[in-house]
Amino acid sequence: MSTDAPFAPHPAPPTVAPHTVRTLTDPADRRRAFDLFLGTLHHGPITDDAWEAHGQAAEEHWLGVTDPSGAIVGSAYSFPTRLTLPGGTRIPAAAVSGVGVRPDRTRAGRLTALMRAQLRAARDRGDVAAVLRASEATIYGRYGYGVASRGDHVRVTTGATWRPEAPAGGAVRMLDPDEATALLPDLQERLAAHRPGGMTRSARWWRRVLRPAGPSAGEYKGVAVHTGTDGVDDGFVVWGVSEGDLATGATDEVRLQQLWAAGPAATAGLWRFLTGLDLAGAVIGWVRPLDEDLDLMLTDSRAHRVTGRGDDLWLRLLDPGAALSARTWGPGDPVVLRVHDAFLGDTGTWRLAGGAAEPAAAADPDLECTVDALSAAFLGDRSPSSLVAAGRWSERTPGAAVRADALFAVPGPAPWCGTFF
Ligand SMILES: CC(C)(COP(=O)(O)OP(=O)(O)OC[C@H]1O[C@@H](n2cnc3c(N)ncnc32)[C@H](O)[C@@H]1OP(=O)(O)O)[C@@H](O)C(=O)NCCC(=O)NCCS
């Protein structure tokens, strides 16, 4: 992209103080950085066995911002992932986590320095995007991240009955930790290939979930797989249980940790199983995909209550040209889109036409947006029209947003990441 006219609804990035950002390769430094991060979340340090079991991995990229004394006072790391785009192409991306700045060193530009170093390094490595899950919605927009998918928090009453026409068939079987370790990573990778926003997970991610160490090692964890009528595994669920209270009459509740399904039959099969569990009053799901239409399948549609909605994946395009050409586009009249990236100092213009995105630096834009606001439409979560209506995109040519709606529209599964990292 070239640098040209400014277009920055976000305040200009702060002048970054000369903070020192270091790549951390020594496991002892990484552990210090991780403990620092845990502290910023108000957690105690990681235990020895948890650090040994799944503290860090060779393929990760760890950064620390250090004080003049050399002490690490800010941290961030990423692991390589592949992110599914509309149409099924997977792009290389940096999955960012472990972001924190020591409370006595905040609001002085240290995160800004970390983000700049991390995004540049990821782009230099060839990552087309960076992704993360945000603790707060106000932090990452200034660095070019935007919410690319959302999900519903749901509460489904156990014992709910299913309409006779709801998808049925298939079978659910429970897995022990060895079986889950052998089966789930490949199954999730296969299922995530069919949903925009789906991402591949690292071996460490799976170890941490299926073989927890430290305080959560002894907690109950249920794992089950759904097999379709064709004999192929097509969904799985991992859940824990929160204990009720005999004194108040509060029942135990099933807490979904993950539930992936290839389609409605697997979705219904797994939810039927969960809502049929004994000794639990409800199944609680958090950031479920927006197209998980359980209310349409239940006799009492109110047995499925949406209790809230939250952001799922935050996406930051590092190479918008590569990303725009990697996804598929709907049919429709062409539009010229200009994308501004104030944080990395880039601007680029593309013509979306004939199912492709071509660079068009000399063309006048029909639509303009910042790179963070592009994320909202990029996987199909929001339409260009709604982004223009909200003031997040600018329409230069009347009618261009409606034309862009047709191009950006994504048939099939709603975008959803479904991985917390
Ligand atoms: C979020 C956090 C990393 C920010 O670090 P920091 O070093 O204070 O960030 P910076 O000084 O670089 O701030 C950059 C800008 O973001 C703003 N900002 C940072 N954190 C913010 C927050 N939590 N809410 C609102 N604004 C925030 C700053 O005010 C500053 O604004 P400006 O550009 O207008 O001056 C730090 O507050 C923290 O560790 N929080 C707790 C852990 C956490 O939430 N980590 C993120 C996990 S996803």
Side-chain angles (χ1 to χ4, degrees), residues 24-28 30-31 50-60 62 204 207:
L24 308 179
T25 49
D26 180 348
R30 291 181 171 195
R31 183 167 179 174
W51 180 259
E52 279 308 312
H54 41 62
Q56 45 112 34
E59 80 269 19
E60 293 167 355
W62 287 62
R204 172 160 93 84
R207 271 200 310 280

Side-chain angles (χ1 to χ4, degrees), residues 162 226 234 259 261-272 292-294 297:
W162 296 74
H226 183 269
D234 58 5
L259 189 156
T267 300
L270 288 166
W271 277 97
R272 250 201 200 93
E292 192 173 57
D293 296 319
L294 300 181
M297 303 186 198

Side-chain angles (χ1 to χ4, degrees), residues 323-337:
L324 291 168
S325 8
R327 65 153 279 182
T328 50
W329 298 94
D333 294 334
V335 294
V336 174
L337 174 69

